[in-house]
């Protein structure tokens, strides 16, 4: 279980003033729950994800994972206890093959057939990718799916995905949604996804809306999604009227 208690994150603004990015956020995510965190751009969604992973350190508050205080743990320490993270823009590693990356994530050398299974799960033809380097020859969608396969091999108790749809084509996005659907059906991990996409929200057990650094809404998909889609529709109508 992930427990976020009174979490705040501030950075230095102009003329020495403080700028609040996350403001006194409290959130509890039980085990095996699929949660989508959404909201307007600049609202603090990705910052919250980075705080949970330890990429940023909070100004105030506490983060607990399975009852253990991880607030000041490093990224490496959090990874060791079962927290995994997928970036908006996954890093590339010239000289490192996909097979080697999967084995590193797993913690020991994986047999070829097991590696192939992970790649197949994310819609990649394993024989074409297994010995390829994770470099600039791969498209954004390919790297995204390889990163997800890597996270699956790591099998963290808490998997965090920061805007996984960013920078990928529609075909890759369809495969991405299908992968998340399979992950949800297996229900072996707690999944936290930062996303604006309705198709990803449709998979959620729960939707949390972050706006101006605070939780604006927190509820089930059935409770939150209809009003959220209505809000999007109103914004589109308003913009159309202005034009």
């Amino acid at each position: 279980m992930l427990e976020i208690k009174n979490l705040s994150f501030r950075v230095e603004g102009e003329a020495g003033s403080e700028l609040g990015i996350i403001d006194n956020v409290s959130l509890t995510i039980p085990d095996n729950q699929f949660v989508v965190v959404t909201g307007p751009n600049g609202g603090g969604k990705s910052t919250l994800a980075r705080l949970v992973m330890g990429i940023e350190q909070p100004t105030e508050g506490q983060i607990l994972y399975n009852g253990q205080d991880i607030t000041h743990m490093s990224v490496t320490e959090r990874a060791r206890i079962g927290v995994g993270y997928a970036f908006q823009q996954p890093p590339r590693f010239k000289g490192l093959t996909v097979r080697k990356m999967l084995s590193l994530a797993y913690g020991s050398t994986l047999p070829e057939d097991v590696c192939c299974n992970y790649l197949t799960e994310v819609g990649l033809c394993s024989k074409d990718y297994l010995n390829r380097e994770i470099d600039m020859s791969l498209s954004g969608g390919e790297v995204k799916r390889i990163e997800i396969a890597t996270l699956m091999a790591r099998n963290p108790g808490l998997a965090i995905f920061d805007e996984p749809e960013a920078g990928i084509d529609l075909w890759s996005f369809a495969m991405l949604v299908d992968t998340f659907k399979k992950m949800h059906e297996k229900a072996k991990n707690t999944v936290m996804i930062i996303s604006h996409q309705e198709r990803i929200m449709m998979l959620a057990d729960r939707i949390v809306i972050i706006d101006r650094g605070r939780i604006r809404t927190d509820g089930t998909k059935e409770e939150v999604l209809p009003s959220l889609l209505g809000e999007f529709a109103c914004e589109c109508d308003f913009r159309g009227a202005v034009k």
Side-chain angles (χ1 to χ4, degrees):
M1 180 167 68
L2 175 68
E3 298 172 87
I4 299 170
K5 298 183 176 182
N6 307 114
L7 203 67
S8 293
F9 178 68
R10 294 184 291 272
V11 296
E12 187 174 329
E14 295 180 1
S17 62
E18 282 195 331
L19 178 64
I21 308 299
I22 296 294
D23 184 13
N24 196 34
V25 166
S26 293
L27 180 67
T28 298
I29 301 178
D31 292 340
N32 303 326
Q33 195 168 67
F34 192 105
V35 178
V36 173
V37 179
T38 191
N41 290 332
K45 307 179 299 299
S46 291
T47 300
L48 181 63
R50 291 197 295 270
L51 287 167
V52 174
M53 190 63 234
I55 298 168
E56 304 283 2
Q57 288 293 312
T59 308
E60 296 171 1
Q62 192 177 30
I63 305 170
L64 289 88
Y65 180 61
N66 292 336
Q68 182 177 3
D69 190 340
I70 66 170
T71 311
H72 301 295
M73 280 188 179
S74 67
V75 173
T76 301
E77 290 171 321
R78 296 185 203 210
R80 284 175 180 158
I81 63 169
V83 183
Y85 187 92
F87 292 86
Q88 282 188 37
Q89 300 296 332
R92 298 169 188 262
F93 304 95
K94 184 176 175 59
L96 183 65
T97 65
V98 172
R99 182 174 183 174
K100 181 63 175 177
M101 176 66 100
L102 290 171
S103 293
L104 286 171
Y106 184 76
S108 61
T109 302
L110 282 174
E112 182 172 322
D113 62 327
V114 177
C115 290
C116 290
N117 286 339
Y118 283 124
L119 293 175
T120 300
E121 283 285 315
V122 296
L124 294 176
C125 180
S126 54
K127 295 295 183 182
D128 292 341
Y129 289 90
L130 204 55
N131 295 309
R132 286 186 65 176
E133 294 184 8
I134 307 171
D135 57 17
M136 295 305 296
S137 68
L138 296 171
S139 71
E142 289 170 327
V143 175
K144 274 279 176 71
R145 281 183 274 165
I146 289 166
E147 184 179 45
I148 293 171
T150 301
L151 207 56
M152 291 167 69
R154 178 69 181 167
N155 194 30
L158 171 62
I160 305 167
F161 297 88
D162 188 4
E163 297 195 27
E165 69 272 13
I168 64 172
D169 56 74
L170 290 175
W171 188 87
S172 294
F173 176 66
M175 297 297 300
L176 192 69
V177 171
D178 189 54
T179 299
F180 287 137
K181 184 177 180 180
K182 291 175 183 175
M183 289 177 66
H184 189 206
E185 288 170 350
K186 290 179 180 179
K188 291 182 179 179
N189 311 83
T190 300
V191 177
M192 177 180 174
I193 300 183
I194 312 301
S195 179
H196 297 104
Q197 289 293 330
E198 179 185 350
R199 288 179 63 185
I200 292 179
M201 292 183 211
M202 288 294 294
L203 302 175
D205 298 312
R206 179 174 167 196
I207 296 175
V208 179
I209 300 176
I210 302 283
D211 188 2
R212 300 179 186 179
R214 288 178 170 266
I215 294 179
R216 193 179 81 189
T217 310
D218 179 4
T220 66
K221 171 182 61 183
E222 291 76 16
E223 292 169 336
V224 177
L225 192 54
S227 60
L228 186 60
L229 295 179
E231 182 180 326
F232 289 161
C234 288
E235 287 182 1
C236 289
D237 289 344
F238 174 74
R239 289 169 185 165
V242 171
K243 290 179 180 179

